[in-house]
Amino acid sequence: SSGSRDEILRDKRARVVSRGLPKQKPIEGVKQVVVVASGKGGVGKSTTAVNIALALAANDSTKEVGLLDADIYGPSIPKMMNLKGIPELTPKNLMRPLKNYGIACMSMGFLVDETAPIVWRGLMVMSAVEKLLRQVDWGQLDYLVIDMPPGTGDVQLSVSQNIPIAGAVIVSTPQDVALLDACKGAEMFRKVHVPVLGLVQNMSVFQCPKCKHETHIFGADGVRDLAKTLGLNVLGDIPLHVNIRETCDSGQPVVISQPQSDAVSLVHCAFNDRKPSPRS
Protein backbone atom coordinates (compact mmCIF):
# COMPACT_ATOMS: atom_id res chain seq x y z
CA SER A 1 0.00 0.00 0.00
CA SER A 2 1.02 3.63 -0.39
CA GLY A 3 1.08 4.04 3.40
CA SER A 4 3.61 1.26 3.91
CA ARG A 5 5.75 2.58 1.04
CA ASP A 6 5.78 6.05 2.62
CA GLU A 7 6.82 4.54 5.94
CA ILE A 8 9.65 2.59 4.32
CA LEU A 9 10.79 5.77 2.54
CA ARG A 10 10.77 7.75 5.80
CA ASP A 11 12.83 5.06 7.54
CA LYS A 12 15.32 5.03 4.67
CA ARG A 13 15.66 8.82 4.78
CA ALA A 14 16.18 8.71 8.55
CA ARG A 15 18.97 6.13 8.15
CA VAL A 16 20.66 8.22 5.46
CA VAL A 17 20.46 11.40 7.57
CA SER A 18 21.76 9.66 10.70
CA ARG A 19 24.69 8.08 8.83
CA GLY A 20 27.90 9.78 9.87
CA LEU A 21 26.43 11.45 12.98
CA PRO A 22 28.50 10.91 16.14
CA LYS A 23 27.33 8.32 18.64
CA GLN A 24 26.16 9.84 21.88
CA LYS A 25 28.48 9.06 24.77
CA PRO A 26 27.67 10.08 28.35
CA ILE A 27 30.06 12.34 30.25
CA GLU A 28 31.87 10.15 32.75
CA GLY A 29 30.46 10.52 36.25
CA VAL A 30 27.49 12.68 35.19
CA LYS A 31 23.97 11.29 35.63
CA GLN A 32 21.84 14.06 34.11
CA VAL A 33 22.67 16.90 31.73
CA VAL A 34 20.40 19.94 31.49
CA VAL A 35 21.15 22.64 28.92
CA VAL A 36 20.04 26.25 29.31
CA ALA A 37 19.75 27.95 25.95
CA SER A 38 18.37 30.98 24.15
CA GLY A 39 17.97 31.97 20.56
CA LYS A 40 19.15 35.53 21.20
CA GLY A 41 21.92 36.91 23.39
CA GLY A 42 21.26 39.34 26.22
CA VAL A 43 18.09 37.71 27.54
CA GLY A 44 19.61 36.54 30.85
CA LYS A 45 20.46 32.97 29.89
CA SER A 46 23.69 32.75 31.90
CA THR A 47 22.07 34.38 34.93
CA THR A 48 19.27 31.82 34.73
CA ALA A 49 21.71 28.92 34.29
CA VAL A 50 23.73 29.95 37.36
CA ASN A 51 20.67 30.30 39.56
CA ILE A 52 19.15 27.03 38.31
CA ALA A 53 22.32 25.17 39.25
CA LEU A 54 22.35 26.79 42.70
CA ALA A 55 18.63 26.10 43.17
CA LEU A 56 19.08 22.42 42.31
CA ALA A 57 21.80 22.10 44.94
CA ALA A 58 19.87 24.15 47.53
CA ASN A 59 16.71 22.08 47.17
CA ASP A 60 18.50 18.80 47.88
CA SER A 61 21.80 18.88 49.74
CA THR A 62 22.44 15.24 48.82
CA LYS A 63 22.74 16.11 45.12
CA GLU A 64 26.03 17.08 43.49
CA VAL A 65 25.68 19.76 40.82
CA GLY A 66 28.11 21.04 38.19
CA LEU A 67 28.00 24.03 35.84
CA LEU A 68 29.66 24.07 32.41
CA ASP A 69 30.08 27.34 30.52
CA ALA A 70 29.91 26.37 26.84
CA ASP A 71 29.85 29.97 25.62
CA ILE A 72 33.40 30.06 24.24
CA TYR A 73 33.31 33.63 22.90
CA GLY A 74 31.61 35.22 25.91
CA PRO A 75 32.20 33.17 29.07
CA SER A 76 30.49 34.81 32.04
CA ILE A 77 30.28 32.00 34.60
CA PRO A 78 33.65 32.84 36.24
CA LYS A 79 32.45 36.35 37.17
CA MET A 80 28.96 35.27 38.19
CA MET A 81 30.31 32.44 40.36
CA ASN A 82 33.16 34.60 41.77
CA LEU A 83 35.86 32.22 40.53
CA LYS A 84 39.37 32.90 39.27
CA GLY A 85 42.32 30.65 38.58
CA ILE A 86 43.63 27.96 36.28
CA PRO A 87 42.25 24.42 36.68
CA GLU A 88 44.67 21.86 38.07
CA LEU A 89 45.36 18.68 36.11
CA THR A 90 44.79 15.16 37.41
CA PRO A 91 47.34 12.34 36.85
CA LYS A 92 45.14 11.37 33.86
CA ASN A 93 45.63 14.87 32.38
CA LEU A 94 42.01 15.90 33.06
CA MET A 95 41.11 19.38 34.26
CA ARG A 96 39.70 19.72 37.77
CA PRO A 97 36.71 22.10 37.94
CA LEU A 98 36.90 25.16 40.16
CA LYS A 99 34.32 25.17 42.94
CA ASN A 100 32.26 27.79 44.75
CA TYR A 101 28.94 27.68 46.61
CA GLY A 102 29.17 23.89 46.36
CA ILE A 103 29.00 23.96 42.53
CA ALA A 104 31.79 22.51 40.38
CA CYS A 105 32.41 24.92 37.47
CA MET A 106 34.33 24.79 34.20
CA SER A 107 34.66 27.58 31.64
CA MET A 108 36.91 28.79 28.87
CA GLY A 109 37.17 31.90 31.04
CA PHE A 110 39.49 29.95 33.37
CA LEU A 111 41.87 29.18 30.52
CA VAL A 112 42.35 32.63 28.96
CA ASP A 113 43.03 36.11 30.32
CA GLU A 114 39.88 37.88 31.50
CA THR A 115 40.21 40.67 28.92
CA ALA A 116 41.51 38.54 26.05
CA PRO A 117 39.08 38.06 23.15
CA ILE A 118 38.62 34.58 21.69
CA VAL A 119 39.43 35.17 18.02
CA TRP A 120 38.91 31.64 16.70
CA ARG A 121 37.36 30.04 13.68
CA GLY A 122 34.75 27.29 13.95
CA LEU A 123 37.11 24.29 14.09
CA MET A 124 39.04 25.73 17.04
CA VAL A 125 35.82 26.50 18.88
CA MET A 126 34.55 22.94 18.36
CA SER A 127 37.86 21.56 19.62
CA ALA A 128 37.52 23.69 22.75
CA VAL A 129 33.96 22.49 23.33
CA GLU A 130 35.09 18.88 22.97
CA LYS A 131 37.80 19.45 25.59
CA LEU A 132 35.32 21.04 27.99
CA LEU A 133 32.98 18.07 27.54
CA ARG A 134 35.49 15.22 27.64
CA GLN A 135 38.64 16.39 29.40
CA VAL A 136 37.20 17.49 32.73
CA ASP A 137 37.17 15.38 35.90
CA TRP A 138 33.68 16.08 37.22
CA GLY A 139 33.80 13.39 39.88
CA GLN A 140 30.25 12.15 40.50
CA LEU A 141 27.50 14.59 39.56
CA ASP A 142 23.74 14.19 39.77
CA TYR A 143 23.20 17.20 37.49
CA LEU A 144 25.41 19.07 35.07
CA VAL A 145 23.88 22.37 33.93
CA ILE A 146 25.34 23.58 30.63
CA ASP A 147 25.14 27.28 29.83
CA MET A 148 24.92 27.22 26.03
CA PRO A 149 25.93 30.09 23.73
CA PRO A 150 23.07 31.96 22.06
CA GLY A 151 21.82 30.78 18.70
CA THR A 152 21.39 27.45 16.92
CA GLY A 153 24.82 26.84 15.43
CA ASP A 154 27.71 24.38 15.59
CA VAL A 155 28.13 24.33 19.36
CA GLN A 156 24.47 23.59 20.04
CA LEU A 157 24.41 20.79 17.46
CA SER A 158 27.70 19.31 18.64
CA VAL A 159 26.64 19.21 22.29
CA SER A 160 23.20 17.80 21.42
CA GLN A 161 24.60 15.08 19.17
CA ASN A 162 27.58 14.04 21.29
CA ILE A 163 26.10 13.61 24.76
CA PRO A 164 22.71 12.44 26.05
CA ILE A 165 20.72 15.41 27.35
CA ALA A 166 17.89 14.99 29.83
CA GLY A 167 16.25 18.27 28.87
CA ALA A 168 16.61 21.83 27.61
CA VAL A 169 15.40 25.06 29.19
CA ILE A 170 14.78 27.97 26.79
CA VAL A 171 15.17 31.51 28.18
CA SER A 172 13.60 34.54 26.51
CA THR A 173 12.27 37.98 27.28
CA PRO A 174 8.65 38.70 26.24
CA GLN A 175 9.89 40.92 23.37
CA ASP A 176 8.80 39.81 19.89
CA VAL A 177 12.35 39.94 18.50
CA ALA A 178 13.61 37.60 21.25
CA LEU A 179 10.61 35.28 20.87
CA LEU A 180 11.36 34.68 17.20
CA ASP A 181 14.77 33.28 18.10
CA ALA A 182 13.49 31.42 21.17
CA CYS A 183 11.06 29.58 18.89
CA LYS A 184 13.94 28.57 16.60
CA GLY A 185 15.90 27.33 19.61
CA ALA A 186 13.04 25.17 20.84
CA GLU A 187 12.47 23.71 17.38
CA MET A 188 16.19 22.95 17.00
CA PHE A 189 16.20 20.84 20.16
CA ARG A 190 13.10 19.02 19.01
CA LYS A 191 14.78 18.19 15.70
CA VAL A 192 17.77 16.65 17.47
CA HIS A 193 15.44 14.77 19.86
CA VAL A 194 16.29 16.70 23.02
CA PRO A 195 13.26 17.12 25.33
CA VAL A 196 12.38 20.75 25.99
CA LEU A 197 11.47 21.06 29.68
CA GLY A 198 9.89 24.45 29.12
CA LEU A 199 10.39 28.19 28.70
CA VAL A 200 11.55 30.81 31.20
CA GLN A 201 10.13 34.30 30.75
CA ASN A 202 12.91 36.60 31.96
CA MET A 203 12.67 40.35 32.59
CA SER A 204 8.91 39.90 32.56
CA VAL A 205 7.97 42.99 34.57
CA PHE A 206 9.67 45.96 36.24
CA GLN A 207 8.33 47.31 39.52
CA CYS A 208 9.31 50.86 40.44
CA PRO A 209 11.07 50.68 43.82
CA LYS A 210 9.48 53.99 44.89
CA CYS A 211 5.85 53.91 43.73
CA LYS A 212 5.58 50.13 43.11
CA HIS A 213 4.01 50.72 39.70
CA GLU A 214 4.60 47.75 37.38
CA THR A 215 5.75 48.26 33.79
CA HIS A 216 6.12 45.54 31.16
CA ILE A 217 9.16 47.05 29.48
CA PHE A 218 9.67 44.18 27.03
CA GLY A 219 5.98 43.36 26.57
CA ALA A 220 3.57 41.20 28.51
CA ASP A 221 3.11 37.41 28.35
CA GLY A 222 4.96 36.91 25.07
CA VAL A 223 6.68 33.77 26.33
CA ARG A 224 3.39 32.41 27.66
CA ASP A 225 1.80 32.86 24.25
CA LEU A 226 4.77 31.17 22.56
CA ALA A 227 4.60 28.27 25.03
CA LYS A 228 0.94 27.70 24.14
CA THR A 229 1.80 27.73 20.44
CA LEU A 230 4.61 25.19 20.92
CA GLY A 231 2.74 23.07 23.45
CA LEU A 232 5.35 23.68 26.16
CA ASN A 233 5.30 24.63 29.82
CA VAL A 234 6.25 28.02 31.24
CA LEU A 235 8.70 27.31 34.04
CA GLY A 236 8.39 30.76 35.54
CA ASP A 237 8.35 34.55 35.19
CA ILE A 238 11.52 36.23 36.43
CA PRO A 239 11.12 39.99 36.97
CA LEU A 240 13.49 42.68 35.78
CA HIS A 241 14.97 43.38 39.20
CA VAL A 242 18.09 45.32 40.09
CA ASN A 243 19.03 42.78 42.79
CA ILE A 244 19.30 39.97 40.26
CA ARG A 245 21.70 42.03 38.14
CA GLU A 246 23.74 43.35 41.06
CA THR A 247 24.18 39.96 42.73
CA CYS A 248 25.39 38.28 39.55
CA ASP A 249 27.78 41.14 38.77
CA SER A 250 29.25 40.86 42.27
CA GLY A 251 29.67 37.08 42.05
CA GLN A 252 27.00 36.42 44.66
CA PRO A 253 23.99 35.08 42.71
CA VAL A 254 20.58 35.89 44.15
CA VAL A 255 19.79 32.26 45.04
CA ILE A 256 22.77 32.35 47.44
CA SER A 257 22.81 35.96 48.62
CA GLN A 258 19.03 36.58 48.90
CA PRO A 259 17.42 33.14 49.28
CA GLN A 260 14.16 34.57 50.69
CA SER A 261 13.44 36.92 47.78
CA ASP A 262 10.40 36.50 45.52
CA ALA A 263 12.58 35.96 42.45
CA VAL A 264 14.39 33.07 44.15
CA SER A 265 11.14 31.35 45.11
CA LEU A 266 10.16 31.42 41.42
CA VAL A 267 13.44 29.77 40.40
CA HIS A 268 13.12 27.09 43.10
CA CYS A 269 9.49 26.22 42.47
CA ALA A 270 9.43 26.47 38.69
CA PHE A 271 12.47 24.44 37.75
CA ASN A 272 12.41 21.85 40.53
CA ASP A 273 8.82 20.99 39.64
CA ARG A 274 9.92 20.22 36.07
CA LYS A 275 13.45 18.83 36.51
CA PRO A 276 14.14 15.65 34.54
CA SER A 277 13.43 12.35 36.21
CA PRO A 278 16.41 10.07 36.86
CA ARG A 279 17.32 7.65 34.11
CA SER A 280 16.89 4.01 34.91
Side-chain angles (χ1 to χ4, degrees):
S1 66
S2 60
S4 60
R5 284 198 302 271
D6 290 344
E7 188 173 344
I8 292 170
L9 184 59
R10 281 196 298 271
D11 290 341
K12 186 175 180 181
R13 283 174 177 163
R15 287 196 299 272
V16 170
V17 170
S18 64
R19 195 176 299 160
L21 291 178
K23 267 195 170 183
Q24 285 189 337
K25 181 183 176 184
I27 300 173
E28 188 172 351
V30 177
K31 293 180 182 177
Q32 301 278 344
V33 174
V34 176
V35 298
V36 180
S38 68
K40 184 171 291 297
V43 297
K45 167 186 55 61
S46 296
T47 301
T48 304
V50 164
N51 284 295
I52 282 176
L54 291 166
L56 282 170
N59 272 271
D60 189 343
S61 60
T62 67
K63 301 298 184 184
E64 293 293 330
V65 181
L67 180 60
L68 172 59
D69 187 352
D71 193 345
I72 303 299
Y73 291 117
S76 51
I77 296 305
K79 182 173 181 62
M80 291 184 178
M81 291 295 288
N82 195 25
L83 286 167
K84 286 185 179 181
I86 300 173
E88 296 178 354
L89 294 178
T90 70
K92 294 183 178 179
N93 211 33
L94 299 176
M95 294 181 288
R96 283 198 177 100
L98 276 62
K99 202 165 188 178
N100 197 14
Y101 308 123
I103 307 294
C105 302
M106 181 52 63
S107 170
M108 180 57 64
F110 300 144
L111 307 176
V112 298
D113 187 78
E114 186 177 11
T115 60
I118 305 294
V119 188
W120 290 351
R121 293 188 184 274
L123 288 176
M124 294 179 70
V125 172
M126 298 315 299
S127 176
V129 171
E130 180 67 17
K131 284 180 171 60
L132 291 175
L133 289 175
R134 301 295 181 193
Q135 295 184 22
V136 177
D137 182 8
W138 290 106
Q140 298 296 315
L141 293 182
D142 295 283
Y143 299 105
L144 176 62
V145 178
I146 301 182
D147 177 22
M148 301 281 269
T152 55
D154 289 344
V155 173
Q156 290 83 354
L157 284 174
S158 180
V159 172
S160 301
Q161 292 173 349
N162 277 281
I163 61 174
I165 297 173
V169 175
I170 308 295
V171 181
S172 178
T173 65
Q175 187 178 4
D176 287 348
V177 173
L179 292 170
L180 288 172
D181 291 335
C183 181
K184 294 174 185 175
E187 290 300 330
M188 183 212 72
F189 284 116
R190 283 177 165 174
K191 284 190 175 182
V192 294
H193 309 295
V194 171
V196 179
L197 299 176
L199 308 179
V200 170
Q201 181 163 260
N202 197 25
M203 309 181 199
S204 59
V205 64
F206 172 74
Q207 185 182 75
C208 175
K210 292 184 179 180
C211 70
K212 305 303 179 183
H213 175 73
E214 292 188 347
T215 303
H216 295 275
I217 294 174
F218 296 105
D221 294 328
V223 172
R224 292 189 177 278
D225 294 339
L226 177 62
K228 288 179 183 177
T229 301
L230 297 177
L232 296 171
N233 293 286
V234 176
L235 300 179
D237 285 278
I238 310 300
L240 180 62
H241 201 293
V242 66
N243 285 355
I244 298 176
R245 193 271 302 168
E246 287 178 342
T247 54
C248 271
D249 282 351
S250 66
Q252 297 177 319
V254 68
V255 167
I256 289 294
S257 59
Q258 300 178 16
Q260 304 305 319
S261 70
D262 292 340
V264 171
S265 66
L266 283 169
V267 175
H268 278 291
C269 295
F271 187 73
N272 280 277
D273 286 345
R274 292 290 304 167
K275 64 186 177 184
S277 57
R279 291 196 299 265
S280 56

